[in-house]
Amino acid sequence: MSNRLKKTNKSNIQLYMEYFDAIDITVNETVVEANLEKNEKLMDLLRTNYSFYLKVFNKTKKIKNRMISLYEAQIHSTGIELIDLLTCLHKAENPVFLTQKIVDDLSTMLYECMLLEICYKKTHFLFDVVKKSKIPFSSIEKKIKEDLFLENIKNDFSILKDLDEELLMFLGNRKMRQLKENYLLQVHLYDSLNRDYLKQEDKEIIFKIKDVKKKKNRIKLQQWKRFLFGLFCLGIVNLGLFNLFLDVGKDGEFSKEKNIEYENFTLLQEDNLLSHNFFFSGTVIFDLFSIYIIHLKMKTEPFEKDNEEIEKTLCELECALEREINQKKQQRNHLIERKEQLDNDFQRLPLSIQEEITRALRKNNTSTF
């Protein structure tokens, strides 16, 4: 075998080792190094076992997802499935592969099913199957010793074979207490979150927005007062000019009554009409120019700068209020999801635990139910 082929096989072996690591199966590097000269045989072993362990990993992942919301009818079938997987792993033991991590995960789920069977059905079929099995369930024995406070007992002591009805019921009752306490803890946590949500109000920002709007309205009112005062002054000026024009007209009529002679009376009338038109046109132009000047004056006054600052502050407050409203919507949706999850978890609990939880919640006046 050429050096190039050996390098290629080494890289493939490293790749397979990474694959195994991704599915929680550790490849024993010491054994691999010892067999590195037999590259082809080692590669065949890795390829063949990878598909097997990948199936075990996928089944384990599927059961993990099922265990999150395990129903009573699924306990037996899930327990048997876990026992079969552990049996397959035991039969496929090879010094090249270290499977303790995935064995521990499977054993943890199997022990959970064994306890749930006692809680729901008051039977111990899965315990009996494990006791009669010829394969070692050291991880389960370790958990039983922890629950029975026997951690200091030697590892070679087979606790499974010595489990009698009384000890099994003790383990089952202990699990029932855990289920009850865990559920009540989730209920109290939900109530705490719900109370915090109800206490959260947008009054602070709303009050700030109202104050800013009041200030804005006061500035606008002052601006309009000045504008109306300018119009009032302009009206007085127009009234004075109009009176002056009337006085000039009366003088013309008085001159006519005094029989002041004009060469052409018709020309006098046309002259009066032109003077009227000129007067009113000039007044309108003067008024429009004056209003424009007043408007520019309002724009350059400090009030307008204050108004810009208020608009900016108001925009920021409205954005903050919108963010708070969106955040409250998310919190509300989260609470609804938690409430639905609590209801589903409650329906999956054994009837005896449901009754105890209901009594405890009524006693504590918990608002969830």
Side-chain angles (χ1 to χ4, degrees):
M1 187 180 292
S2 65
N3 291 333
R4 182 178 179 184
L5 182 60
K6 286 183 179 180
K7 288 181 180 179
T8 303
N9 283 337
K10 283 183 180 180
S11 63
N12 288 336
I13 288 170
Q14 185 63 36
L15 184 63
Y16 270 105
M17 290 173 71
E18 291 176 2
Y19 286 161
F20 277 102
D21 187 57
I23 59 174
D24 293 332
I25 307 296
T26 305
V27 179
N28 193 330
E29 293 186 14
T30 305
V31 178
V32 170
E33 289 292 334
N35 292 274
L36 204 55
E37 293 299 323
K38 307 171 183 177
N39 279 7
E40 290 297 333
K41 190 175 180 180
L42 184 60
M43 281 294 299
D44 289 339
L45 180 66
L46 290 172
R47 278 195 297 264
T48 304
N49 283 275
Y50 177 72
S51 59
F52 166 74
Y53 285 117
L54 182 61
K55 288 180 182 178
V56 173
F57 172 78
N58 288 332
K59 286 184 178 179
T60 303
K61 188 176 180 181
K62 184 178 178 182
I63 296 173
K64 274 185 179 180
N65 293 332
R66 191 193 312 161
M67 291 293 293
I68 295 173
S69 56
L70 192 68
Y71 287 92
E72 181 180 350
Q74 298 173 311
I75 294 174
H76 270 174
S77 60
T78 303
I80 295 299
E81 192 174 354
L82 289 165
I83 292 173
D84 291 341
L85 283 174
L86 286 167
T87 303
C88 289
L89 284 172
H90 179 69
K91 289 180 179 179
E93 270 187 344
N94 191 298
V96 178
F97 308 103
L98 305 175
T99 59
Q100 191 58 43
K101 173 68 168 61
I102 200 164
V103 168
D104 287 342
D105 288 345
L106 291 169
S107 299
T108 300
M109 291 187 288
L110 176 57
Y111 185 57
E112 181 78 7
C113 287
M114 294 160 73
L115 294 177
L116 289 175
E117 182 195 357
I118 299 175
C119 294
Y120 282 90
K121 301 177 179 296
K122 304 299 180 185
T123 60
H124 39 83
F125 171 76
L126 294 176
F127 266 106
D128 294 338
V129 172
V130 171
K131 285 169 66 175
K132 293 176 183 177
S133 177
K134 294 181 180 180
I135 69 169
F137 287 92
S138 56
S139 297
I140 291 179
E141 287 205 347
K142 182 180 178 182
K143 292 180 180 301
I144 294 173
K145 289 174 184 178
E146 290 175 357
D147 284 350
L148 294 176
F149 309 105
L150 301 173
E151 297 96 325
N152 296 325
I153 301 296
K154 292 181 180 180
N155 289 332
D156 58 358
F157 177 74
S158 181
I159 189 68
L160 273 170
K161 293 181 180 179
D162 293 328
L163 284 175
D164 55 16
E165 191 79 20
E166 185 178 350
L167 285 175
L168 289 173
M169 289 302 109
F170 170 79
L171 291 173
N173 291 331
R174 191 172 184 273
K175 182 61 179 177
M176 289 182 74
R177 286 195 300 273
Q178 288 178 355
L179 290 173
K180 175 186 171 183
E181 290 171 1
N182 289 339
Y183 185 79
L184 288 174
L185 181 64
Q186 294 300 317
V187 170
H188 294 318
L189 179 60
Y190 168 82
D191 276 341
S192 176
L193 292 173
N194 194 37
R195 284 193 296 270
D196 291 341
Y197 169 78
L198 295 175
K199 286 179 181 177
Q200 288 179 4
E201 294 183 354
D202 308 317
K203 287 183 177 178
E204 184 176 353
I205 292 183
I206 290 174
F207 286 148
K208 286 182 179 178
I209 290 175
K210 287 183 177 179
D211 289 339
V212 172
K213 285 184 175 180
K214 285 180 180 178
K215 188 175 180 181
K216 180 181 176 181
N217 292 333
R218 284 197 298 268
I219 291 175
K220 283 187 175 181
L221 182 61
Q222 290 176 353
Q223 286 180 315
W224 276 105
K225 283 181 178 179
R226 293 202 172 191
F227 184 72
L228 293 174
F229 179 74
L231 293 180
F232 176 74
C233 294
L234 185 62
I236 292 175
V237 172
N238 287 335
L239 186 62
L241 292 174
F242 186 70
N243 288 331
L244 181 62
F245 179 78
L246 290 178
D247 290 340
V248 172
K250 287 179 181 180
D251 290 341
E253 290 179 359
F254 179 76
S255 300
K256 179 184 173 183
E257 290 174 358
K258 291 290 185 178
N259 294 321
I260 298 176
E261 293 184 357
Y262 285 84
E263 294 180 355
N264 194 339
F265 187 72
T266 304
L267 289 176
L268 177 63
Q269 287 181 327
E270 291 178 356
D271 209 19
N272 287 335
L273 182 60
L274 287 172
S275 63
H276 279 75
N277 292 336
F278 178 76
F279 172 77
F280 286 113
S281 298
T283 304
V284 169
I285 293 171
F286 174 75
D287 290 344
L288 292 175
F289 181 74
S290 300
I291 292 171
Y292 177 72
I293 294 297
I294 293 171
H295 177 71
L296 287 179
K297 182 67 176 175
M298 289 175 64
K299 287 290 183 182
T300 56
E301 284 183 349
F303 290 130
E304 190 63 26
K305 294 181 181 179
D306 293 342
N307 206 25
E308 290 177 1
E309 290 292 328
I310 287 173
E311 286 290 347
K312 183 178 178 182
T313 305
L314 187 61
C315 182
E316 292 174 354
L317 288 173
E318 287 175 347
C319 290
L321 180 61
E322 186 177 357
R323 285 195 298 269
E324 278 201 10
I325 291 173
N326 292 333
Q327 187 178 0
K328 285 194 71 176
K329 284 181 180 178
Q330 292 177 357
Q331 290 176 348
R332 185 59 186 166
N333 293 334
H334 178 64
L335 285 171
I336 291 172
E337 290 175 2
R338 288 186 71 107
K339 180 65 169 61
E340 291 176 352
Q341 185 64 43
L342 281 173
D343 292 339
N344 293 333
D345 291 344
F346 183 79
Q347 296 301 322
R348 285 196 299 269
L349 290 171
L351 291 175
S352 57
I353 299 181
Q354 289 184 16
E355 293 172 358
E356 291 181 19
I357 288 174
T358 303
R359 286 196 295 269
L361 293 176
R362 286 175 180 171
K363 183 178 179 181
N364 294 331
N365 294 323
T366 306
S367 60
T368 305
F369 293 96

